[in-house]
Structures are given as C-alpha cells and as structure tokens.
Amino acid sequence: MLIKIILIGLLIFMIVNLFLAMRVMMKNDTKQPMSKYIGRRVMTSALIVLIILVAIATGLITPNPRPY
C-alpha cells in the first residue's frame, strides 16, 4: 500500500511541475528557465517507471493477468 501512495505522490509532483513549466512559458519570464521544471518532470517519470519495475520484480505489486 505504501508503494502505491508513493507512486501517486510522484504522479502529482510530475503534474505540478508540468503546470509550473506552462506558467513560465505563458509569462515569458526569463528568471527561471522552463527546462528546470521539464527536467524535473522527466526525472520523476523515470523514477516512477523504475519504482514500478522494481515493485513488480519483487512482488510488491502484481500486474493484471493476461486476458487469454
């Protein structure tokens, strides 16, 4: 259950960074680069995929069975 809460938190963090990058893009502000937020989003996505793969390999989460 804890792994699912962590994954949901990371997904929310990824969406927040996406909207922060959008705000920087819309304001055309040069104080903070948009790549900062996009980079965080990419790293969060990679971390989520890695956590899911490790959780499946260790048996913490089980994928849905095949339909056939």
Side-chain angles (χ1 to χ4, degrees), residues 17-36:
N17 278 311
L18 181 65
F19 281 107
L20 288 173
M22 183 184 70
R23 187 183 70 176
V24 170
M25 182 178 68
M26 298 300 283
K27 286 178 107 177
N28 200 9
D29 193 11
T30 58
K31 291 179 185 175
Q32 291 184 352
M34 185 173 61
S35 62
K36 173 183 173 183

Side-chain angles (χ1 to χ4, degrees), residues 6 8 16-18 22-23 25 42-44 48 50 55 59 61-63 67-68:
I6 291 171
I8 290 171
V16 166
N17 278 311
L18 181 65
M22 183 184 70
R23 187 183 70 176
M25 182 178 68
V42 170
M43 288 302 293
T44 306
I48 289 171
L50 184 68
I61 57 175
T62 56
Y68 52 86

Side-chain angles (χ1 to χ4, degrees), residues 49-67:
V49 169
L50 184 68
I51 289 173
I52 289 174
L53 289 175
V54 169
I56 289 174
T58 59
L60 292 173
I61 57 175
T62 56
N64 289 333
R66 291 183 177 177

Side-chain angles (χ1 to χ4, degrees), residues 1-7:
M1 184 67 179
L2 180 64
I3 193 85
K4 293 178 183 179
I5 293 171
I6 291 171
L7 288 173

